[in-house]
Amino acid sequence: MKIVVITGMSGAGRSQAMKTFEDAGYYCIDNMPLALMPKFVELVENNTENIEKVALVTDIRGRRFFDTLEKTLELMKSTSTDFRILFLEASNQTLIKRYKEARRTHPLNPGGSIEDGINKERKRLEVIRNLADHIIDSSDLSLALFREAIHKTFDETESPVELTLTLMSFGFKRGIPLDADFVYDVRMLPNPFYVEELKHLTGNDEAVRSYVMKFPESQEYYEKLSALIHFHIPLCIKEGRRQLVVAIGCTGGQHRSVTFANLLRDEFEAAGYQVNCKHREQHH
């Protein structure tokens, strides 16, 4: 079992680090009392739920317990467990800026100078920093680069980030899906609704699909839309995103949008991507 203890300077990115570990499949607990760490590890190792990766966040908020951190970490490192400590830090200038932007006081000096609180905390954490297996300075890192640094440090042998492509057909008359990253409008394409034998069918039917795609403008639109999605996916993966939601709308969400969503599903599944396809209006 892998265990990572995340600690370090307040404001250096512990919350974002925990989210990154959660996305990587770690069982995460924030602000765990240090006295409970060894017992928790024992319980997890003996559990029947097959928890393989755990991340525990501890910081200066656990004041009563923090003084025991050094002994606790040394005890845990002496076991046979795959145990590592991640220490997060940042420059005083960066931390002060983050505190100002969040309008927060420092937990070690709530009524006084933020910089004085940072200096007190840095001195108090010096011993723990020396015990750390990995140190990441978040001062000049964007969120994407910060997440990438964690992945490179802890997931060297694991698969790269997988992205799920969610394709959603919808009808504009019911509104645009709120969770869509990109919205495309196919209402300008020929509409099977006005063909009597197709009116009561949907884009799931071959007759409708053939009708929609027999027009040159439909074929050109599809090719450009497919190319744009292919372009977006690696950019999203690079940013650490795990889902891309593409919504395709027509008037009623039954014919053209369903046709396009199904064709894109088939194409991207064949290309090896993990794809979900939803037809919103067919549930109404």
Side-chain angles (χ1 to χ4, degrees):
M1 180 177 65
K2 293 183 178 180
I3 299 178
V4 178
V5 170
I6 306 167
T7 188
M9 298 295 295
S10 302
R14 287 191 307 266
S15 296
Q16 291 299 333
M18 187 174 74
K19 293 177 183 178
T20 302
F21 279 101
E22 283 180 336
D23 289 343
Y26 281 74
Y27 184 90
C28 298
I29 297 182
D30 187 18
N31 200 26
M32 165 163 275
L34 298 171
L36 298 181
M37 275 190 186
K39 186 64 176 179
F40 173 79
V41 171
E42 180 183 344
L43 291 172
V44 171
E45 288 179 333
N46 295 325
N47 84 94
T48 58
E49 297 182 13
N50 196 29
I51 299 176
E52 297 180 351
K53 300 188 291 184
V54 175
L56 307 174
V57 180
T58 188
D59 56 52
I60 210 70
R61 289 176 296 174
R63 294 169 185 169
R64 285 191 307 158
F65 301 99
F66 203 82
D67 292 334
T68 68
L69 179 58
E70 182 179 2
K71 292 182 179 179
T72 301
L73 295 182
E74 288 179 340
L75 174 64
M76 295 176 70
K77 290 188 78 167
S78 68
T79 69
S80 58
T81 303
D82 182 357
F83 178 84
R84 289 190 280 176
I85 303 169
L86 170 62
F87 188 94
L88 303 174
E89 64 181 10
S91 67
N92 279 23
Q93 182 179 1
T94 298
L95 293 173
I96 291 172
K97 180 181 178 182
R98 291 174 182 173
Y99 272 101
K100 289 289 188 181
E101 289 175 348
R103 298 181 180 180
R104 294 175 53 209
T105 59
H106 195 280
L108 285 189
N109 199 25
S113 162
I114 293 174
E115 187 169 17
D116 287 345
I118 291 171
N119 290 333
K120 289 178 183 178
E121 183 180 26
R122 199 179 296 280
K123 183 175 181 179
R124 189 172 183 183
L125 291 175
E126 186 176 351
V127 174
I128 308 305
R129 187 183 186 279
N130 292 334
L131 288 173
D133 300 283
H134 309 283
I135 299 173
I136 295 179
D137 188 329
S138 66
S139 300
D140 300 315
L141 299 180
S142 65
L143 177 58
L145 290 176
F146 180 65
R147 290 170 63 91
E148 182 179 344
I150 292 175
H151 280 299
K152 285 183 177 179
T153 302
F154 290 91
D155 296 323
E156 304 92 337
T157 61
E158 298 187 3
S159 301
V161 174
E162 293 184 2
L163 179 138
T164 298
L165 172 63
T166 297
L167 301 164
M168 181 186 300
S169 70
F170 73 96
F172 277 94
K173 67 181 183 180
R174 292 185 179 273
I176 296 174
L178 296 178
D179 58 345
D181 296 303
F182 298 102
V183 177
Y184 297 98
D185 185 351
V186 295
R187 287 177 292 183
M188 72 291 298
L189 301 179
N191 191 352
F193 180 82
Y194 297 107
V195 179
E196 187 59 34
E197 61 269 26
L198 302 178
K199 181 176 181 178
H200 300 292
L201 301 178
T202 74
N204 291 322
D205 297 295
E206 182 57 36
V208 171
R209 182 182 299 197
S210 297
Y211 177 85
V212 172
M213 299 309 297
K214 74 178 182 180
F215 298 97
E217 56 265 42
S218 298
Q219 297 169 19
E220 184 177 0
Y221 193 119
Y222 178 85
E223 291 173 1
K224 290 182 177 180
L225 176 54
S226 170
L228 190 58
I229 297 173
H230 276 290
F231 174 76
H232 274 126
I233 288 177
L235 297 179
C236 291
I237 293 175
K238 184 178 179 181
E239 285 295 308
R241 295 177 59 174
R242 293 182 173 265
Q243 185 180 48
L244 175 64
V245 180
V246 176
I248 304 157
C250 60
T251 305
Q254 299 294 333
H255 298 99
R256 294 162 291 181
S257 60
V258 174
T259 294
F260 267 59
N262 285 342
L263 288 172
L264 290 167
R265 175 200 61 203
D266 295 344
E267 176 184 343
F268 282 88
E269 281 184 347
Y273 292 102
Q274 183 174 332
V275 182
N276 291 328
C277 188
K278 303 177 181 178
H279 303 305
R280 189 184 73 177
E281 312 311 349
Q282 294 187 10
H283 299 291
H284 291 278

